Amino acid sequence: MDIAHNLEDTRRRIARAAAISGRTAQDITLVAVSKTVDSSRIREALNCGVTHFGENKVQDLLAKAREFDGADNPPIWHMIGRLQTNKAKAAAETAALIHSVDSLRLAEEINRRAPSPVDILLQVNAANEDTKAGIDAESAKAFVQHLQLLPNLNLRGLMTIAPAVENPEGNRDVFGIMHNLFVDILGSFDNNRFTLLSMGMTSDFEVAIEEGSNMVRIGTGIFGER
C-alpha cells in the first residue's frame, strides 16, 4: 500500500472537483480518517503533507494524541465519530474540531465540561436515515439558535454523513440540501466563524466538493481497506 501514491491521486481528484465548483484545492481541507491506522502510517501521511486526521472513538483519539505529544509536526485531531456525553470533556480537551454534535444534550454537556471554548460542527441527517445520527435539516436552523446561546461552543459549520450508495451521483441531492442549508444559516446569523461544510468521504467526495463541501473525510482512499 503506497500512501504517497494514494494521496497524490486523492489530491488530484480534489483539485479537479474544486475547479468544477469554481474553487481551488487550497479551498478544501482534507481530513485523513485514521481509525485503526497505526502511528507509523500516520507519520507517513504527515510526511506527505497531511495535517488533519480524524478519529471515530474518543479512546483512540486520546491514545494517538499522546503518541504524538511533543512532536515537531503533530497532527491536528478531529473527532468525527458519534460522541457520548460522558466523553465530551475528553474530546473537547483533545480535538481541534468536533464534527458530530447531534443533540442539544450533547452540546450542553460539551459547553459545561470543556475547559475552554471548543470548535464544533452541527451534524445534520440530511437524508433522514433512521440508522444515522444528526439533526434533521428542517430543524437545523432553530437548533443553531440554541447553540448560539452556549458560550463555550464555537459553531464552525455543518457536517453530514451521506447514505452508502453504489453511484456517488446518488448523493448529489443530499449534498445540495446541505449546501443550501449552510448558505441559509450563513445568511441568517451573525457568525463570521461559520465557514465549514464537512461532507464527502472516499466513495463520494468529488460530488460533495462539486456541491459545495470545503472539508472532506477520507480514510480508505488514503490508507486502504481496513
Side-chain angles (χ1 to χ4, degrees), residues 165-175 203-204 207 210-211:
V165 293
E166 290 187 11
N167 184 344
E169 286 293 332
N171 281 332
R172 190 174 290 278
D173 286 349
V174 172
F175 295 140
S203 63
D204 57 16
V207 173
E210 291 171 14
E211 291 298 321

Side-chain angles (χ1 to χ4, degrees), residues 140-141 144 148 155-158 178-197 212 214:
K141 198 170 178 181
V144 167
Q148 300 281 80
L155 179 61
R156 298 297 315 282
L158 306 177
M178 283 296 297
H179 183 254
N180 289 339
L181 178 63
F182 176 79
V183 171
D184 186 25
I185 293 173
L186 185 63
S188 301
F189 295 96
D190 183 18
N191 182 352
N192 60 12
R193 288 174 57 81
F194 190 88
T195 59
L196 301 177
L197 182 55
N214 58 23

Side-chain angles (χ1 to χ4, degrees), residues 61-102:
L61 173 71
L62 299 179
K64 290 178 182 177
R66 283 194 295 268
E67 284 191 63
F68 287 90
D69 187 33
D72 292 336
N73 183 32
I76 298 171
W77 296 107
H78 295 235
M79 179 63 200
I80 63 174
R82 194 160 193 179
L83 180 59
Q84 296 173 323
T85 53
N86 64 345
K87 297 179 179 177
K89 183 175 184 290
E93 289 175 336
T94 307
L97 181 65
I98 298 175
H99 289 231
S100 47
V101 175
D102 61 358

Side-chain angles (χ1 to χ4, degrees), residues 20 34 57 80 172 217-218:
I20 290 172
S34 51
K57 297 181 179 179
I80 63 174
R172 190 174 290 278
R217 311 177 304 273
I218 300 177

